[in-house]
Amino acid sequence: MMSIVVFVMGSAVALAGWRGRTLATANMEVAIKNKADHRKIAPLMYVFLVSGYTGGVLSLVMQGQPILESPHFLTGTVVISLLTINAVLAATGFIGNKASARTIHAYVGSTALVILVAHAVLGLKLGLSI
Ligand code: HEM
Ligand code: HEM
């Protein structure tokens, strides 16, 4: 389930965000459509990831396993922190529509998605070790 959130929703969110950003000069209509899609999917993906984070910890608690110390926990915490920065930037209207805030949002989000690939591998490893 989390792989679907990460890979299907994640690539859709990133693609729509970057299309909205890069096509703004070439084709305004397509850019606006992509930004609207991004605004819809990104918050939903964020909610799913935060739920997955909580669910992951709870699952280990219920199985009597050690919590908050796996490499998967570390990458998960980094990703949630980065995406929280992104959500706050978006919620504040990019701090009064600052171009630099939009650029930071674009690169912080993309970095989070790259880390999520390693995070998925570490999740599989954690699962196989239990
Ligand atoms: C997967 C990580 C993410 C990536 C790669 C990403 C990427 C982008 C990009 C490239 C833009 C266009 C910036 C510009 O106009 O120059 C953008 C805009 C935006 N993003 Fe994200 N983003 C991510 C996560 C999020 C999250 C978690 C939220 C909210 C919870 C969010 C909300 C928004 C909003 C509201 C906009 C403005 C759209 C508009 O101008 O109409 N993004 N994002
Ligand atoms: C992408 C594929 C993913 C896989 C295969 C995966 C797999 C796992 C597994 C097997 C566990 C141990 C719990 C159990 O055995 O029931 C776990 C725990 C956990 N997962 Fe994931 N997960 C994935 C994505 C995510 C995502 C996207 C997040 C949130 C960012 C997340 C956050 C956590 C956390 C915080 C724990 C508890 C770790 C600890 O306390 O040491 N996982 N995950």
Side-chain angles (χ1 to χ4, degrees), residues 4-124:
I4 295 172
V5 174
V6 168
F7 295 110
V8 181
M9 285 185 99
S11 43
V13 163
L15 218 67
W18 277 99
R19 279 198 180 132
R21 182 179 169 91
T22 52
L23 294 177
T25 44
N27 190 338
M28 205 51 187
E29 228 171 85
V30 180
I32 289 171
K33 163 91 177 66
N34 274 287
K35 283 197 177 189
D37 285 346
H38 180 82
R39 267 201 310 271
K40 271 182 232 141
I41 320 170
L44 202 63
M45 178 186 77
Y46 180 68
V47 169
F48 286 164
L49 289 180
V50 172
S51 315
Y53 185 93
T54 322
V57 175
L58 287 179
S59 173
L60 287 180
V61 169
M62 286 186 287
Q63 295 173 83
Q65 295 287 331
I67 57 164
L68 319 184
E69 54 188 39
S70 62
H72 184 70
F73 172 75
L74 185 73
T75 46
T77 305
V78 170
V79 162
I80 294 293
S81 309
L82 292 177
L83 290 179
T84 301
I85 294 174
N86 257 15
V88 170
L89 282 175
T92 57
F94 298 98
I95 322 174
N97 208 10
K98 279 207 179 82
S100 56
R102 285 182 177 272
T103 303
I104 290 171
H105 178 98
Y107 286 97
V108 166
S110 306
T111 307
L113 280 186
V114 172
I115 297 175
L116 273 171
V117 177
H119 179 71
V121 176
L122 293 172
L124 278 180

